[in-house]
Structures are given as C-alpha cells and as structure tokens.
Amino acid sequence: MANHGYEGGRLNLPFVGICTFGKYPYVSDWDAIDADVAVMGAPFDFGTQWRSGARMGPRAIREASTLFSFGHAGAYDHEDDVTYLDPAEVTIVDIGDADIVHTDTVQSHANIEFGVRKILAAGAIPVVLGGDHSVNIPCINAFDDQGPIHVVQIDAHLDFVDERHGVRFGHGNPMRRAAEKNYVTGLSQIGIRNVSSTAKDGYVDARNMGSDIQSVRQFRAMGVDAMLDRIPAGVQYYVTVDIDAFDPSIAPGTGTPSHGGFIYYEVLELLAGLAKRGNIVGLDLVEVAPDYDHSGSTSTLAAQLLMNVIGRILHARTS
C-alpha cells in the first residue's frame, strides 16, 4: 500500500477542527504571507439589487470546502492521471476576511483592495470568496501595477451598468469599472443570458470597449476549445465567477438565479483550458447566498470548483 500519509498524525475528518478554506493553514499576519495561493473572504453584499445574503458566502464556502480537504496526499484525478494540490509541491493559506464596515461601501471596498494588494505583494495568487459581485471592483483595482490583464467573466449577467441612480459600485457595475482600466486589455463575458441587469446600450458599450459576449447556448454550440480560441493566448487572466452562471438546478443559493445555466464540467473544462492557455493571476467567486441554499449544494459546488481550478492553475505553472 502506498504511503499516502494517513498512517501518521491526526485523522482530521472534514467535520473536525477550524473551517479555513480546504483546512489549509490560517495566516493572520498579512505581512507574513508565504504561499502560492492565498484565499481571502470578502463578506460584503451591500451592492445587491434584490436578495441579499452573499455576505455569508465566504463562511459557507469555507465550511463546504472541508469536504475536499485532501489530507496529506493531494487530490489524484484518474482522468488526467495527475495528483493536484500535492502539499509537497504547492502551498495554500487562508488569510481570513477583509474587514467590512456596515453600510460603508467605499471603506469596505478599500479594505478588500488592501487585502488583495497584500497577497500580490507576497507573490501569491489571490483567490477571493464573495460577497456580491461588486467585490470584483476592488480586486481589479489592486492589479493596477501588475501589468496588463484580460478579464474572463463566467456569469449569467453582463454587469456592465455605468451608473444607475448614482450607483457606480454595485453588483451590476463591476465589468464596466474593469473595462475602464487602462491595464485591462479586454473582457471575455461567458454565460450571459435571458433577462439581464444591463440594457441593450450596455451590450453596445461592452463590445465597443473590448468585450466578447457569449451565452451558454452559444458556448455549447461552439464547444470549449472554440471558446478558448476566442480568448487571447499567452497573457495574464483575471477570472471572476458568479455562481449564478450555473443553472439554479445545481446552484439555487444565489440572489439572482437564472435558468439555462452551465453545468459543473463545462466551467471546469473551460478554466482548466484557460490555465494552460495563459497565466491565471487572480480569481474571485461571488454571489453564493447560503440562506437560499437549503441542501448546501451551491456552497459545495463553489468549493469544489475552486479547489479543482486552483489545482489546475498551479499544475499548469509547473508542468
């Protein structure tokens, strides 16, 4: 029998211990981050337009992620014949949450940006757990000195509203704010469908500002490889995943569910291919609202996707 590490130490089952992401070590000193990946929560949902509750997303994702805490041996995938997340090769830490100041969007976003900057300064990949999609705005802000990035958005909604009733930093605005950055070279907006938060003029503006917009049906008609071919190769990618990109039959726990969404493997295969096509330098997953997630399937989906994508990002960097 292979020495996979379970023979020594504590068994440390998923329901035992502290709920850090994946049960990885917790680092409270943000000036002492030493890791390949650092996970940070952004429990902010003041940007929602309808159902709130995504502020509890980071806590729910962390708890669900303990199911995928792979002990001492990493995660062997027999289809790929690869052991991902081998602790001998990769280091992942959880740095806790950005401090959220109730009702203060500007300061809360600034605190999120501060945390992402600390992760980048340590040379780690930031993985941010939302929170509503407005938390992407401070995440992108933090990349202003990291060189050009191409933003890949997996989402049901375009999120390209410029301003509505004076609101410029809600969860309908992040992709517009990203497109305005001179270091964002373009956007691939994938999964956009049905009744949307953005009117037609938003689509016109998005395309004029460098967006490639594809629905779930368009994605399925062309396939994963063709979709990847539409994304610039060999560049830095920032990936933002809204959980409502998935069909609510598997991801009901979100504030703005939209039927006709992705299944798990469609998104995993896209992001796995993206990790090989260029360099994923940042990732957020947003809009998990556990109060609407009675079976826990949405939080589990979010955790499973993140663990597998992180594994593929790190493997692509070393293979």
Side-chain angles (χ1 to χ4, degrees):
M1 184 176 180
N3 180 16
H4 52 54
Y6 291 120
E7 292 82 0
R10 297 178 60 184
L11 185 56
N12 198 23
L13 291 171
F15 53 84
V16 173
I18 307 300
C19 287
T20 59
F21 181 80
K23 302 187 83 171
Y24 288 111
Y26 170 57
V27 174
S28 60
D29 183 352
W30 291 6
D31 290 316
I33 299 168
D34 183 13
D36 300 300
V37 169
V39 178
M40 183 184 77
F44 174 95
D45 64 4
F46 314 157
T48 54
Q49 300 175 75
W50 187 35
R51 300 195 302 187
S52 60
R55 71 181 63 184
M56 304 307 296
R59 184 169 294 183
I61 295 169
R62 284 187 173 106
E63 182 173 357
S65 75
T66 63
L67 173 61
F68 308 109
S69 55
F70 299 109
H72 307 287
Y76 177 69
D77 187 313
H78 75 91
E79 292 181 293
D80 297 343
D81 192 23
V82 171
T83 297
Y84 296 106
L85 303 174
D86 185 339
E89 298 179 358
V90 302
T91 304
I92 301 170
V93 298
D94 187 329
I95 69 166
D97 294 339
D99 195 29
I100 303 303
V101 183
H102 59 288
T103 77
D104 190 337
T105 294
V106 173
Q107 188 59 55
S108 296
H109 277 192
N111 292 345
I112 295 166
E113 180 180 339
F114 176 79
V116 176
R117 288 187 183 276
K118 285 292 189 180
I119 295 170
L120 291 171
I125 301 170
V127 174
V128 177
L129 313 177
D132 70 49
H133 214 155
S134 74
V135 306
N136 172 261
I137 298 172
C139 291
I140 295 294
N141 288 347
F143 278 82
D144 59 351
D145 59 353
Q146 298 294 312
I149 55 173
H150 182 90
V151 175
V152 178
Q153 174 199 14
I154 314 295
D155 202 330
H157 308 99
L158 197 67
D159 293 347
F160 214 86
V161 176
D162 182 16
E163 180 176 325
R164 184 177 292 155
H165 294 282
V167 176
R168 294 173 52 81
F169 304 102
H171 74 168
N173 308 108
M175 295 302 101
R176 180 64 172 247
R177 300 287 82 85
E180 293 168 347
K181 306 296 186 184
N182 59 13
Y183 51 91
V184 173
T185 57
L187 292 86
S188 297
Q189 300 185 263
I190 307 166
I192 315 303
R193 61 187 183 275
N194 297 334
V195 179
S196 180
S197 59
T198 306
K200 183 178 179 180
D201 57 356
Y203 286 83
V204 173
D205 289 347
R207 292 187 174 102
N208 288 339
M209 295 175 75
S211 286
D212 179 28
I213 304 167
Q214 302 296 323
S215 71
V216 173
R217 290 192 293 181
Q218 289 168 327
F219 170 93
R220 287 177 178 159
M222 73 176 79
V224 172
D225 290 342
M227 184 68 243
L228 286 167
D229 286 342
R230 300 179 69 96
I231 301 172
V235 302
Q236 294 189 127
Y237 308 118
Y238 185 95
V239 176
T240 179
V241 180
D242 189 323
I243 204 69
D244 67 29
F246 292 94
D247 194 79
S249 61
I250 61 169
T254 187
T256 51
S258 179
H259 286 273
F262 287 118
I263 61 173
Y264 168 74
Y265 273 114
E266 290 173 318
V267 175
L268 178 62
E269 290 170 7
L270 175 67
L271 295 181
L274 192 69
K276 297 176 182 177
R277 187 169 178 81
N279 186 19
I280 297 177
V281 294
L283 169 65
D284 64 60
L285 189 149
V286 300
E287 299 285 356
V288 172
D291 281 352
Y292 316 117
D293 189 27
H294 302 303
S295 70
S297 62
T298 312
S299 301
T300 303
L301 170 64
Q304 181 175 343
L305 180 71
L306 286 171
M307 294 290 272
N308 279 286
V309 171
I310 291 168
R312 281 153 178 80
I313 292 171
L314 297 177
H315 179 71
R317 289 189 169 195
T318 58
S319 60

